[in-house]
Amino acid sequence: VKDTLAQLGIPSAPSVALFYLFVGLEGTKQQLGLAGNNLWISQGFNHDQNWHDLYFAEQPPEDFSKLPTCFLSAGSAKDDAHSVPTTTVQLLVPVLNKWFNQWASTKLKHRGSDYDSLKAKFRDTLLESFLFRFFPKTKNNIKHTVLATPLTTEFYLNAQDGASYGLNHDLNRFSKSAQLALHTQTHIPRLYLVGQDHLCVGIVGALMSGVLATLCISKIAAIRAFLE
């Protein structure tokens, strides 16, 4: 999509990249004191300045807990039918792809000790500053962790610059020319655009993009689906 917009002379940029930490714990949600809701943990109320500092940072901060926000979610805690005495937690923080560029030419799982050390520093900070801080009973119950950087996202999802949410949601993205270029109906008959880059970011954006595509393809079929 970004290449198509560039050919049309429409400026575009990738969205924010994320560092992911997936945690496997021993114990039920009750034993670990985990809640089923998502947490968005922000660094104060000056969000504009916090995100500005992130976007213009040439290197990762010394203290990763000072990143603008952290998303924390206990997936299995949301499932009332989950009866296995193990629990999963996910933590996500925004990062810049350029912080990892020096390892871009290396192979997955063979990126070197410096890369592994940086990931370990991220892991330890996220655990101490967020998971253990809000859910102290999880400490000493961690059995497994998996870490992912923007390079991981780029490898598995072929996401440009490791972007987690496709195109950046700036003014250029929602200009009239960009909206026309990303219209559901393309200039090629029976070829339709669908997905979050077509509409807006996230699961709901992708879902509603599918609704719009269905309406363009067959209004009758779409109405029937809604009624059913």
Side-chain angles (χ1 to χ4, degrees):
V1 172
K2 183 179 178 182
D3 292 340
T4 300
L5 294 179
Q7 293 173 5
L8 296 172
I10 304 170
S12 63
S15 66
V16 67
L18 296 173
F19 180 91
Y20 301 83
L21 172 58
F22 303 98
V23 185
L25 301 112
E26 184 174 8
T28 65
K29 63 181 181 181
Q30 292 83 5
Q31 293 170 334
L32 299 173
L34 289 168
N37 56 295
N38 299 332
L39 295 183
W40 285 98
I41 308 160
S42 297
Q43 299 301 323
F45 293 98
N46 195 349
H47 304 300
D48 288 343
Q49 185 62 52
N50 292 338
W51 283 93
H52 177 276
D53 292 343
L54 169 70
Y55 282 126
F56 289 93
E58 293 299 324
Q59 299 292 333
E62 288 297 323
D63 184 355
F64 296 146
S65 69
K66 300 303 182 184
L67 290 167
T69 189
C70 174
F71 173 79
L72 191 159
S73 177
S76 54
K78 301 177 182 181
D79 184 3
D80 293 334
H82 183 77
S83 58
V84 181
T86 55
T87 310
T88 58
V89 171
Q90 305 82 41
L91 297 97
L92 286 66
V93 290
V95 295
L96 298 185
N97 183 65
K98 64 182 179 182
W99 295 348
F100 304 88
N101 277 346
Q102 59 182 302
W103 298 288
S105 61
T106 59
K107 292 184 178 181
L108 184 74
K109 300 185 183 300
H110 296 88
R111 302 195 190 277
S113 58
D114 289 343
Y115 179 79
D116 292 337
S117 296
L118 181 62
K119 290 205 304 180
K121 184 178 178 181
F122 264 107
R123 178 199 61 207
D124 295 343
T125 301
L126 295 185
L127 291 176
E128 290 290 342
S129 300
F130 300 110
L131 182 59
F132 299 160
R133 172 186 166 195
F134 289 92
F135 303 102
K137 292 181 180 180
T138 59
K139 198 167 187 176
N140 301 322
N141 284 293
I142 293 178
K143 295 301 178 182
H144 186 65
T145 60
V146 175
L147 310 154
T149 72
L151 296 179
T152 317
T153 304
E154 191 170 346
F155 178 84
Y156 284 109
L157 301 182
N158 195 29
Q160 190 165 13
D161 295 331
S164 296
Y165 296 109
L167 293 174
N168 190 33
H169 277 38
D170 55 16
L171 293 179
N172 292 321
R173 162 69 179 80
F174 291 100
S175 66
K176 181 179 179 180
S177 54
Q179 292 297 291
L180 290 174
L182 297 174
H183 195 278
T184 306
Q185 175 65 68
T186 68
H187 66 282
I188 301 175
R190 298 178 184 176
L191 178 63
Y192 303 88
L193 293 182
V194 67
Q196 64 177 10
D197 275 345
H198 157 244
L199 189 59
C200 63
V201 71
I203 297 173
V204 175
L207 175 64
M208 293 310 299
S209 172
V211 172
L212 290 177
T214 304
L215 287 169
C216 287
I217 295 170
S218 174
K219 292 182 175 60
I220 294 178
I223 295 172
R224 184 179 297 131
F226 285 129
L227 293 176
E228 292 175 354

